[in-house]
Amino acid sequence: MSLHDDAALVLKAYEDQADLRQAYLDHLHAHPDGMWKSCADGHITASALVIDPSRERVLLTLHKKLRMWLQMGGHCEPGDTTLADAALREGTEESGIAGLDLLPGGPVRLDRHHTPCAWHLDVQYAATAPAGAVEAISDESLDLRWFAYDEVAGVADESVVRLLEATRARL
């Protein structure tokens, strides 16, 4: 199965945000290349909010280009076999933490936003960090920092706050 097909199946199974979910499905139907950065009309991206529920904290990255505190995430790559794999790869690469574990139940939220390259149709997962995890800044980040749940609204935008709320509801 292709990554495009996996994304369509994941989105069909996702039960929230009906209008946005349908917009993502319509995008995939209209764009055979809709998973890839090369699709100028926008593309599906995958992200993972890295959390440490035992310490009630979340790891955010200060994105180098956007200069905003965000969850880990980005473009799908040819080696990704599923959206979940893409989210886990991005989470691992950008956090430097091995052994992340995606929360069961598929994506936590969808978020469509404009970036310098195009519209990102982000499929957002959440991943728990293993006990004792030590983060490491990647070359895509200016900083990497753990924030208590109640600190996130003070540093990140509404999309990250909504993602954290949806993640906490799923825990």
Side-chain angles (χ1 to χ4, degrees), residues 85-168:
D85 287 346
L88 193 57
R89 175 187 51 74
E90 286 286 341
T92 301
E93 286 176 0
E94 293 185 11
S95 72
I97 298 173
L100 295 177
D101 190 25
L102 292 181
L103 289 185
V108 176
R109 280 194 54 78
L110 305 177
D111 185 76
R112 179 176 49 195
H113 50 273
H114 197 266
T115 71
C117 76
W119 281 97
H120 280 186
L121 288 70
D122 197 29
V123 180
Q124 302 177 321
Y125 291 81
T128 54
V134 177
E135 68 278 4
I137 297 174
S138 76
D139 62 357
E140 295 180 35
S141 178
L142 294 172
D143 198 2
L144 199 58
R145 193 176 308 162
W146 289 101
F147 293 94
Y149 292 161
D150 62 2
E151 293 176 321
V152 172
V155 297
D157 71 7
E158 248 336 278
S159 70
V160 179
V161 172
R162 286 190 301 266
L163 177 56
L164 176 58
E165 289 170 355
T167 298
R168 291 182 69 192

Side-chain angles (χ1 to χ4, degrees), residues 10-18 21:
V10 167
L11 290 164
K12 285 176 185 173
Y14 181 72
E15 296 180 352
D16 295 325
Q17 301 175 268
R21 178 182 73 94

Side-chain angles (χ1 to χ4, degrees), residues 1-4 35-38 75-82 85-86 89-90 93:
M1 175 182 328
S2 72
L3 184 58
H4 189 282
M35 297 300 302
W36 311 117
K37 185 178 181 179
S38 58
H75 297 107
C76 296
E77 295 180 0
D80 297 327
T81 55
T82 66
D85 287 346
R89 175 187 51 74
E90 286 286 341
E93 286 176 0

